[in-house]
Amino acid sequence: MTIAALIVAAGRGTRAATPGAPPKQYARLAGQMVLTRTLALFCAHPLVDRVLAVIAEEHRGWYEQAASGLPDRGKLLPPVAGGTERQSSVLNGLNALEDAAPEIVLVHDAARPLTPANVISRVIEGVETHGASIAAVPVADTLKRGQNELIEGTIDRTGLWRAQTPQGFAYKAIRNAHEAAAQRQVTFTDDASIAEWAGMRVALAMGSERNLKITSREDMALAESLIAQGAETRVGTGFDVHAFGPGDTVWLCGVPIPHERGLVGHSDADVGLHALTDAILGALAAGDIGAHFPPSDPQWRAAASHIFLERAADEVERRGGRIVNADVTLICEAPKIGPHRQAMRSAIAEILRVPVRRISVKATTSEKLGFTGRREGIAAMATASVAVPFSGDETC
Ligand SMILES: Nc1ccn([C@@H]2O[C@H](COP(=O)(O)OP(=O)(O)OP(=O)(O)O)[C@@H](O)[C@H]2O)c(=O)n1
Ligand SMILES: C[C@](O)(CO)[C@H](O)COP(=O)(O)O
């Protein structure tokens, strides 16, 4: 049995629009694109075999960015172009799935990036039992019909549900229903309505309040707070030492500083960035800098250390996490760090793609004691904290 997920992402996001910013499915939500989060839910679901996104042709660049943030693209099919309405986008996607020939298709809004995995499982179970099933939540508020700010009546809420996605169907049946609706030019706001119109029986599977659809700008803030509730903060530490040697410049925390000596190392010997890279990898329990960038590998000879730090930041993003803060301490008698501190903070903030207020750089001497006191080299310590989703555990 092949199960495909069809992620409709071809909308313009007009209700949530921010002037000059990409549409909502490409906006960053707690550090990761909305669409990356949505695709990742289905790519990671063990019962889903294929994932297809329907996108607007002019968003292709953003789509590539969103897809490149996925931990695993193995299930991902090349995207297809959407239509002017959600309904025509879904039909385009269903047609494009012909070669994949799934038995079941799950239609899902890209704008719902927080769908719990068990909601997806319940919808699949519903399709297997009833032929069609959608995620939905019972209406909890009293419903009023109104006009001109006046109540015209109260609607009995008994048996009323709010439809969410995913909405799952036997592939052939929903494709036929969509084609018939398109031919007769009847329009609906969800796929279950089309199935109902075509005479299919559709089951209700319990959805989740967490499964919100980002519709307005305020929903982004709400989604961020839901992510924060489902995240844990992890802390990692790093330590590194490089000896002084020939040269007239030392690289420290991404900044070149003229000095009477250089630092010896396989790469550019930026001891601050190395310690910080290790701190971030440590927070993820993802090994250390030596494991990721072995000194035995010639490609890292004289490498600029911002590459190592960037890769560590990519790892955080790949797991749906974000860097909360980082703190580096440089231990040396010279050069003086104070005059370069702000440049170092800015350089690190840029590499990690976080605001500079989250980055600290400090310095101390070792009171002329030990190898740093004898000016034989520089040591650096770093601490980093990252917030990662609980559901990211299996990839961490
Ligand atoms: N022509 C369209 C319109 C919508 N969608 C997708 O359908 C989902 C639900 O639609 P909605 O939340 O209304 O998104 P937009 O149409 O983008 O928003 P708006 O109506 O505010 O412009 C979204 O993931 C959206 O990208 C689509 O694939 N093709
Ligand atoms: C499909 C849907 O998300 C179910 O609630 C909803 O109908 C989409 O509506 P929109 O007007 O396209 O946002």
Side-chain angles (χ1 to χ4, degrees), residues 240 242 244 249-259 263 268-274 305 328-332 334-337 340-341 343-345 347-348 351 361-363 377-380:
D240 195 29
H242 280 274
F244 282 123
T249 304
V250 289
W251 278 88
L252 290 174
C253 294
V255 174
I257 302 174
H259 191 54
L263 285 171
D268 65 8
D270 189 328
V271 65
L273 293 193
H274 293 182
S305 297
V328 181
T329 303
L330 297 166
I331 307 160
C332 56
K336 287 276 170 250
I337 302 303
H340 307 284
R341 187 197 310 273
M344 291 177 177
R345 292 179 67 213
I348 292 173
I351 298 166
V361 174
K362 314 197 298 297
I378 300 183

Side-chain angles (χ1 to χ4, degrees), residues 8-15 24 83-86 89 109-111 213:
V8 281
R12 266 56 186 177
T14 40
R15 285 169 290 178
K24 61 188 180 185
T84 49
E85 305 298 330
R86 183 184 182 282
S89 291
D109 296 330
K213 180 162 77 66

Side-chain angles (χ1 to χ4, degrees), residues 16 21 44 58 66 103 118 127 151 162 225 230 246 281 325 338 366 376 388:
E58 67 271 24
E103 277 81 22
N118 59 7
V127 185
I151 292 174
R162 287 187 287 125
S225 72
L281 293 174
N325 75 306
S366 56
E376 291 167 8
V388 287

